[in-house]
Structure formats: C-alpha cells, structure tokens
Amino acid sequence: MRAEISIDLQSRVGRVDKRLFGSFIEHLGRAVYGGIYEPGHPSADDMGFRQDVLALVRQLHVPLVRYPGGNFVSGYHWEDGTGDRTKRPRKMELAWGCIETNEIGIDEFQAWAKRAGAEIMMAVNLGTRGMEDARNLVEYCNGTTDTDYANMRRKNGFAEPFGIRLWCLGNEMDGDWQIGHKTAQEYARLACETAKLMKWTDPTIELVACGSSHPGMATFGEWERTVLRECYDHIDYLSMHSYYGNRSGNSAEYLGCSLEMDWFIGRVTGLCDEIKAEKHADKTIYISFDEWNVWFHSNAQDAQNAPWQIAPPLLEDVYNLEDALVVGCLIITLLKHCDRVKIACLAQLVNVIAPIMTENGGRAWAQTIFYPFCDASLHGRGIVLKTGVHCESYEVENRGSVPYVEPVAVYDDLAETVTVFAVNRSLAETCSLSLAGFGGFVLEQHSVLTGDDLKRCNTAEEPFAVCPTSGSGRALPPRSWNMLIYRRTETE
Ligand code: AHR
C-alpha cells in the first residue's frame, strides 16, 4: 500500500495552544491517593508526593491539569481540603461511593502542580453548591484583597495567590448520574450568574461552560444552544467530553473511532457559530475538550466494587497497542481542529484511565497510550498545516469510509522542523510513504510504536513491552503510530 502526504507551509489550520496537551486528576480511585500522593512510598518527597510519578508526568510535559473532578466535584466542599490537615473531615463521597479523607485539597494540589510544571484548571461545584461558594473559591485561590477568603488562604500559610486562570463551571451537568443534575435551562441560568460573580472576583480568569457529556445524549444540540444563548457574554469555552472503546471486538472498526470525534467537534463548533450569528456577536466561543480517552476495559471489574473504601482501584484500564493507536488518531484529530479546540485534557493522568500506572508502595510505569501523547506533547507545538493524504480506505458499518493512514503535520517555525504524526490503521499492510511539499527538509527522526500483537500491554513486570523504536522514514508499518521529524536544511 502507498500513501502520499502533502503539505504547503503557507496553508495552515492554526497555531496549537499548548493547553491542548492538558490532563486531569480527579479524586477518584487511586489517582490522588496511591497515584500522585503516597507519603510512605520510598520515592515520596517532603510533601508525600511520589517522585517516580512526578518524573513520568514531567516527561509528558503536561502544561495543564484539571482538578478536582469530574463527577467528584459536584458534591465537593473545597474548604474540606484546606487548612489544618489534622482537622479535615472524612466524607461519604457520593459520585464514586468512596470515603474521601481530604488529606489532599487545593492547598496541596497547587504545590504538586508547581512541582509537575503544570497550571491548574479548577472546577467548581454546581451540583450541590452554587455561585456563592464558587466566588469564595476564586477569592481563596486568587484574591489579593484584605478580605475573608484571601485572608483564609494567608492564614493557611499561602501569602501568595495560587493564580489559577482557567475554571470549569461544574461538570457534566446534563447527565442524570451527576450529583445535582440540571435541565439545560436550570444549568444555563446558574452557570451565567456564577460566571458573573467569579469574573467580578477576578476579571483575569477564563471560564468553561458544560457542553454535552457525549454526543449520544438525548439533549445534545439543544443543551449547547440553551447554554450558549444564556451564557455567551460571560464564558470563553464550551466543554466537550468523549470516551471510546473496542466494545464489539472489531479492531478495524475501533481504529476508525476518531472519525466520530472529528464529527463531534465539527458539530459543536457549528453550534457555537450558530449562536454567534444569532447574537450578532464578534466574540468566538472556543472548545475545551476537557475529557477524552479510551475507557472500557475496567467497566466490568468496577461494577463489582464494594462501596465506602478509601482509594480503591477504580477505572484502572490496562491499555494495549490498539488503544495507543486509537489515542494517536484522537490526538491527530484534536490537532487538526486546533483553530477551535484550544484546551484538551487526556482523562486522566495517573491510575484512573491513565497513561501512568502505579503499585501502592511499589513501581510506576508508562502504559502504551503514554507514547503517542508524549510524542505529540513534545513535538506537536507549533502551526498545524492543512495536511493532504491520498491512500486507500476501508468501509465500516455506520461510519463509512475510513482512510488507512491518518496524518497531521505540525510546523515549528522556531526550530524550523515539520513533524508528521501518522497512524497506519492497516492490520496487515506496510504503507510506503511519498511526500509532497517537503522541499528543503530532510528526515531527522522516525519513531514508531508498533508490534505483532494488538493486545500487548505494558505491565509492572514488562514495563517496556510496547514502546517506541526507530523507523526507516520510508514506510509506516502495519498497526503503527509514527512520528517523523523533518528539519529544514535550506531556505527556499
Ligand atoms: O473521567 C472519569 C469520569 O468521566 C469523570 O468523573 C466524569 O466527568 C466523566 O463521566
């Protein structure tokens, strides 16, 4: 099989916002306790943060981490995670049926985020709480006045504000699984009024309103219209969430699921622009795809989980090669929409549907999906080029034609490189490459993630069973994620 990939340096989608490579830590399962934090662990630092985990997080160069949920946030009292740690309450956490000790809260998480080199994307509780608590939290985190909540932060030992710039107005409020689920109109009014108070407290912040939890929601479309009509002037981003999985056991079909993400982004962008036109607005609403990943391996196991445990293993998907290829296709899709998708969070970061796994008291390692995310986060920052591809495709029921090769090219105008990310979805055939528009550039590196067995995983015993190797630069092996870096050698 052959594929021709063509670019033109002048034909551009847009510049990538580094926050496209964000991630997510929720108080869920072993993400916090046993994940980023484990005071008794041999690698724990002075605050009890696992340095083996921090090293892997730093390798991913995650610029942004969403916190503290997810479904968790809709029943959360943020004050429980502040101040004297000996006095923090233990709570029945209703979103996941666990016990929350509150040993970690925003006081500690902001210190962890600094050590990880990431900014925080903070969510407020619009399930059981509302605008009053949201504005108090903004003041606690960012306030500089001599007033109650800013002083509470100072009393807790933080003279300097945390400076959190990006905030989510609740989480998945359209879903009846959500604590304090709301109709579109109920949510839209609350989000609008909360947004006003939060921005009056700190006018430098940016706000994300909840879009639909996934495109299959019965309210998808009308939810977005209602929220946008009500909140347009007060928000900056609309959220999107989507998870994928090989539920039918058909790998060819599964590898095509990024076409659904592509359709979904197009649809939500259209809804934002529809309301922009309706309002005769100059302002554009951008997309925050703040939950995306593969999530299905752990579903059956989680259904057996006994309630009211502290940090039980939940949502611990063990990812294989085919999941890594899907994650690669999803990253390519996000990059192709970088003109509208400014923020995206791989959900999540450690243990819970995560690129990084740990044993309590033991090892930490990179799952298969770590590698495409890492490649893109390190080398996908620049200008996305409109990337043409000529290759064969295959048919998938209800989805149509899926091209065997999914590529995107990113031009780094400082380093003078063009990096091509490409997945070869073919299960059997190598695809030889021909390039158009790469005059003056030579191949510097070809890194490939592939293998004979689509179901191969990395484990504590075999942490590098699936990891990148070098490619020839001339062909994309079957079942592969590829990163090809071309460097300019002459000016045209
Ligand atoms: O990321 C896991 C969960 O998925 C989040 O808590 C929720 O927002 C979504 O349904």
Side-chain angles (χ1 to χ4, degrees):
M1 194 174 35
R2 278 192 83 72
E4 185 189 87
I5 295 177
S6 58
I7 57 163
D8 167 358
L9 288 192
Q10 302 319 317
S11 184
R12 301 169 173 198
V13 178
R15 193 173 279 280
V16 177
D17 187 319
K18 68 175 182 184
R19 297 174 300 173
L20 200 73
F21 305 107
S23 190
F24 181 22
I25 290 280
E26 175 167 3
H27 282 248
L28 195 188
R30 298 191 307 123
V32 174
Y33 308 110
I36 63 168
Y37 175 76
E38 198 181 346
H41 191 271
S43 82
D45 65 15
D46 57 315
M47 290 189 72
F49 295 130
R50 284 183 65 154
Q51 293 191 67
D52 56 348
V53 173
L54 264 173
L56 286 163
V57 172
R58 287 195 197 107
Q59 228 178 298
L60 290 176
H61 284 250
V62 172
L64 181 78
V65 183
R66 187 165 175 252
Y67 177 82
N71 296 342
F72 170 82
V73 79
S74 297
Y76 184 50
H77 287 195
W78 63 266
E79 307 89 321
D80 292 348
T82 61
D84 186 346
R85 293 175 90 190
T86 63
K87 298 206 173 88
R88 295 194 187 171
R90 284 160 73 96
K91 290 273 179 82
M92 287 175 81
E93 198 289 284
L94 299 182
W96 300 102
C98 297
I99 292 192
E100 173 58 52
T101 63
N102 285 304
E103 213 173 320
I104 295 287
I106 188 58
D107 284 1
E108 294 75 29
F109 189 74
Q110 61 81 30
W112 179 84
K114 268 192 204 127
R115 290 174 193 201
E119 286 175 34
I120 297 172
M121 177 190 208
M122 188 81 186
V124 302
N125 173 356
L126 293 190
T128 59
R129 294 185 130 187
M131 64 188 102
E132 177 74 10
D133 294 298
R135 66 161 287 199
N136 293 344
L137 178 56
V138 173
E139 183 186 325
Y140 182 83
C141 292
N142 293 356
T144 53
T145 47
D146 179 13
T147 48
D148 213 9
Y149 285 94
N151 285 336
M152 177 174 157
R153 184 196 68 237
R154 294 186 186 100
K155 196 170 127 260
N156 289 341
F158 307 99
E160 292 306 315
F162 301 154
I164 299 176
R165 295 282 151 250
L166 189 59
W167 295 75
C168 303
L169 293 159
N171 176 71
E172 294 190 348
M173 299 309 301
D174 61 328
D176 68 358
W177 60 86
Q178 198 67 211
I179 300 172
H181 159 233
K182 292 177 174 48
T183 65
Q185 195 55 45
E186 285 166 351
Y187 171 71
R189 282 299 308 134
L190 179 60
C192 176
E193 294 308 313
T194 305
K196 280 161 53 184
L197 268 59
M198 289 170 76
K199 283 199 172 174
W200 288 344
T201 306
D202 180 353
T204 69
I205 63 174
E206 290 191 303
L207 295 175
V208 183
C210 292
S212 293
S213 300
H214 60 82
M217 297 295 290
T219 48
F220 174 49
E222 264 325 289
W223 176 276
E224 278 75 4
R225 286 191 184 93
T226 308
V227 171
L228 287 164
R229 281 192 185 113
E230 199 71 47
C231 303
Y232 204 93
D233 292 342
H234 303 287
I235 62 167
D236 305 282
Y237 306 92
L238 191 67
S239 79
M240 294 178 65
H241 290 181
S242 214
Y243 292 99
Y244 305 88
N246 188 356
R247 293 188 184 83
S248 66
N250 179 337
S251 296
E253 179 186 316
Y254 178 41
L255 289 171
C257 70
S258 60
L259 274 66
E260 279 171 28
M261 181 194 246
D262 184 69
W263 174 86
F264 187 26
I265 295 172
R267 189 83 184 87
V268 175
T269 303
L271 288 161
C272 291
D273 292 347
E274 176 188 322
I275 305 303
K276 178 179 182 176
E278 190 179 294
K279 286 182 170 286
H280 307 289
D282 290 330
K283 173 180 170 181
T284 299
I285 300 292
Y286 292 96
I287 306 281
S288 170
F289 211 126
D290 42 46
E291 286 188 34
W292 69 272
N293 202 350
V294 168
W295 174 14
F296 75 109
H297 293 287
S298 57
N299 292 165
Q301 189 185 317
D302 289 348
Q304 312 294 320
N305 185 59
W308 315 126
Q309 301 178 66
I310 298 173
L314 283 176
L315 280 68
E316 297 204 358
D317 275 40
V318 176
Y319 293 118
N320 55 32
L321 172 62
E322 104 184 328
D323 299 322
L325 303 184
V326 164
V327 163
C329 289
L330 297 172
I331 293 170
I332 288 170
T333 305
L334 290 166
L335 283 164
K336 281 159 76 175
H337 287 280
C338 76
D339 53 335
R340 291 306 287 269
V341 182
K342 297 293 172 188
I343 300 159
C345 301
L346 175 68
Q348 300 192 8
L349 188 54
V350 185
N351 289 332
V352 172
I353 41 173
I356 299 167
M357 287 294 277
T358 72
E359 295 171 320
N360 289 344
R363 298 164 281 192
W365 65 97
Q367 294 228 61
T368 58
I369 64 167
F370 183 96
Y371 295 106
F373 186 85
C374 190
D375 283 347
S377 178
L378 263 65
H379 300 282
R381 301 184 190 197
I383 298 162
V384 174
L385 303 175
K386 290 184 181 156
T387 311
V389 59
H390 282 294
C391 68
E392 288 171 38
S393 50
Y394 60 98
E395 291 304 308
V396 169
E397 216 177 297
N398 301 327
R399 193 171 286 142
S401 219
V402 179
Y404 279 110
V405 175
E406 187 72 56
V408 71
V410 183
Y411 173 48
D412 182 334
D413 48 345
L414 289 176
E416 291 278 22
T417 55
V418 172
T419 300
V420 175
F421 302 106
V423 171
N424 180 2
R425 293 186 173 104
S426 171
L427 302 180
E429 281 193 59
T430 298
C431 181
S432 60
L433 266 186
S434 67
L435 300 171
F438 287 72
F441 286 84
V442 293
L443 183 76
E444 185 175 87
Q445 186 188 337
H446 179 190
S447 152
V448 188
L449 189 73
T450 186
D452 295 334
D453 181 1
L454 274 176
K455 306 297 179 188
R456 192 96 194 263
C457 304
N458 293 341
T459 59
E461 283 69 37
E462 278 195 294
F464 302 108
V466 182
C467 69
T469 54
S470 288
S472 67
R474 290 184 297 278
L476 312 176
R479 310 168 298 278
S480 63
W481 157 264
N482 300 266
M483 177 176 72
L484 300 115
I485 303 179
Y486 300 86
R487 188 170 294 279
R488 196 196 280 282
T489 52
E490 50 191 74
T491 42
E492 283 172 296

